[in-house]
Every structure is written in C-alpha cells, then in structure tokens.
Amino acid sequence: MNVTFRQLKVFEAVARHLSFTRAAQELHLSQPAVSMQIKQLEESAGLPLFEQLGKKIYLTEAGREMSHYCCSIASQLEEARDVLEQLKGIQRGHLDIAVASTANYFATRLLAAFAKQHEGVTFSLDVTNRASLLRQLEQNGKDLVIMGLPPETMSLEMEAFMENPLVVIASPDHALAGKKVSLHQLQKENFVVREAGSGTRIAMERFFNEHGVSLQTGMEMTSNEAIKQAVEAGLGLGIVSIHTLALEREAGWLVVLDVDAFPILRHWYVVHRKGKRLSPIAQAFRQFVLSEAQNILIAA
Ligand code: PGA
C-alpha cells in the first residue's frame, strides 16, 4: 500500500472529527485538499474509508481498521521522537562533577572513555576532599559526586561501583619492607597522613581505633602526591588508596607493606542528592560508571 504520512495525518483528523470541514480547519488546509488526500488514501487502500449518510460521514469497517493502525503508527512515531530527543540530550550537554582527591587517579580515565561515546559532551571536574564534597552535596551544587561512603545522615542516592583498598606504603629500603608486619609494630613508626577532612584519613582512624592501635601521625599533608613523595623520601610510612599507586610501584619507588588485617576495604560510590532530577547526560554518565568503570579501570 503506497501511503504517505500526510495522508495518514489528514485521515486521522477527519476520522476524529467525522468532518472534512473541521479537519481542514485544524490542519490549516482547504477542504478540497483534505478530500483529495482522503481520495488518494482510499485509492491505495482499495476500499472506501468513509461513507456519507445524509449530512453526516461515518467510518466504514475498512476506515475503522485504518483508524486503529493510524493510532498505533502515531504513537510509534511519538515514541521514536522521544527516544531521539533523549539521544540528542546525551550526545550534547555539560556534565558538572566533583570527585574525591583520591578518585582523581581514575576519574579522568572514566571521563575520557565516556567522552568517546558522547562526543558533544563537555565536562567540569572539581577535585577536592571528602569534607568539601559533602558541602557540595548539601548545596546540591554538582550533577554527580564520586567519593567514599557518604554519611547515612544525609538524604542521598548512592551506589557502589568499585572497591577502594587502602594500603600501608613505605620506601623500598624501609626496615619493614618485605616483612610480615603486625598492627602493633606500626605503633613505633612515624606516619605521614592526609588532612582531617579526607575520607582516607577518616577510614584509617576508624580502622586503628577499632583495633585499639594508636599511630604517631604528626605529619599531615593535603594530597596523596605529597604523601607519596614524603614516604619515598623516607619521612615515614603512609596510608593511601591503591588507586594512587600504579606508577611508583612499577618503578620500585614505593612498596606496599604486608600488614595484618590490611588492606582497609572501602568502596567508591556515585552519589547525588535524593530527589535531584538528573539531566539525561548525568543519568547516562551515572549508568556508565556503574556498569563500565570496573572493566575500564581493570583493563587499563
Ligand atoms: P579523600 O577521599 O581523597 O578525601 O581521602 C577518599 C574517600 O572518600 O575515600
């Protein structure tokens, strides 16, 4: 059957109004134009679609069938339009995310992999510590946040996507390197630790409290890079996420100590405020992180 969308549109309007005049008004067409479209449609269908009884027109049986298919074609078209709009939404747009300083070691790789699939998308990435991320969530300032487990007291949607093991690092010539180390042996060591607002610091303090061990944590630094450099230089031991370490371990600049009950097992979460309406691009990125992050980062 050789039918055009225009004919179907005109047919749908006439069938709904059961009037050529009203359909013509609605579609801003002349009445002869409407009649012509219907005549052509009836010719392709090979059957009359309307019949006239007195002044009124009615759908024939063929007309009722056609009307049924017309509705489902119209709703399919609407669905296709919605899907395409969604696709446009996730091919363009801007993503504003914030990540814990420790997550920065993999966040840019995730963004790069996502950007390959969504070429028109631009990003702002704020790299900061846990305390500042919690403030941003409080103010609803970012599309999404990647961080360690947020506190239960906040009203947040959070989902874990990857493990985040924390390990003890030392310079390769440290006396404990290559040995089996007990937690109590660590009490005699100097530790270079992250600042008070850091998630790594909080997790580490909680862990040692639970094990009744108190560490000497006189040296405080606000970045993982500074801690690694200080440990390499022999200032003491450090506790960092394994994600911060690839290069230094490969190059042999740092070693991970074999300490009882280690690693401290944390997880990475993708987080936003409960009730926040995520943009299509933010929804797509969240889904991407949950389903792909692990594969992308393990393969790297
Ligand atoms: P941090 O965050 O970079 O603030 O230590 C890591 C985390 O939340 O585990």
Side-chain angles (χ1 to χ4, degrees), residues 71-290:
C71 286
S72 80
I73 291 168
S75 86
Q76 291 271 303
L77 269 179
E78 247 169 58
E79 199 179 304
R81 190 200 55 207
D82 289 351
V83 169
L84 295 183
E85 282 306 310
Q86 280 270 342
L87 277 177
K88 279 188 215 157
I90 62 172
Q91 291 303 338
R92 294 194 234 107
H94 188 78
L95 192 58
D96 193 5
I97 67 171
V99 303
S101 26
T102 305
N104 190 36
Y105 288 83
F106 60 80
T108 41
R109 264 181 288 153
L110 287 183
L111 288 178
F114 184 72
K116 268 195 197 145
Q117 294 179 9
H118 305 272
E119 282 176 4
V121 174
T122 53
F123 306 99
S124 316
L125 174 66
D126 184 16
V127 181
T128 185
N129 74 11
R130 176 183 175 88
S132 146
L133 292 174
L134 292 177
R135 268 196 305 279
Q136 300 201 20
L137 282 166
E138 191 73 56
Q139 292 157 5
N140 198 17
K142 298 286 166 190
D143 291 327
L144 292 167
V145 167
I146 291 179
M147 65 184 301
L149 181 64
E152 277 171 15
T153 47
M154 286 180 79
S155 180
L156 301 172
E157 292 286 349
M158 55 183 107
E159 209 159 332
F161 63 91
M162 192 169 62
E163 287 186 346
N164 173 25
L166 305 186
V167 293
V168 183
I169 51 168
S171 73
D173 54 6
H174 192 280
L176 297 178
K179 304 221 172 96
K180 199 123 190 68
V181 183
S182 73
L183 286 181
H184 288 276
Q185 272 175 288
L186 294 183
Q187 297 195 115
K188 298 185 206 108
E189 302 295 326
N190 286 319
F191 273 81
V192 189
V193 295
R194 284 283 305 276
E195 77 284 5
S198 139
T200 309
R201 168 79 175 265
I202 293 167
M204 160 197 146
E205 283 178 346
R206 188 180 306 133
F207 174 85
F208 285 107
N209 275 340
E210 279 165 14
H211 288 82
V213 171
S214 69
L215 295 185
Q216 300 175 44
T217 56
M219 284 172 285
E220 213 176 83
M221 300 189 179
T222 54
S223 82
N224 293 303
E225 284 307 301
I227 291 185
K228 289 189 294 180
Q229 306 256 351
V231 172
E232 265 177 63
L235 264 181
L237 300 179
I239 293 181
V240 291
S241 161
I242 205 138
H243 296 297
T244 67
L245 284 178
L247 198 69
E248 295 80 0
R249 276 176 95 185
E250 262 170 42
W253 298 332
L254 287 171
V255 292
V256 171
L257 294 186
D258 181 6
V259 181
D260 275 353
F262 263 81
I264 302 173
L265 203 52
R266 282 171 70 69
H267 287 87
W268 290 115
Y269 289 77
V270 58
V271 186
H272 61 91
R273 287 257 305 229
K274 243 187 200 137
K276 182 178 177 69
R277 287 193 55 173
L278 294 181
S279 64
I281 189 69
Q283 282 178 40
F285 185 67
R286 180 175 183 276
Q287 210 38 54
F288 178 82
V289 170
L290 293 176

Side-chain angles (χ1 to χ4, degrees), residues 41-53:
L41 184 60
E42 286 179 325
E43 272 164 18
S44 325
L47 286 168
L49 301 172
F50 295 98
E51 58 192 348
Q52 184 144 11
L53 297 177

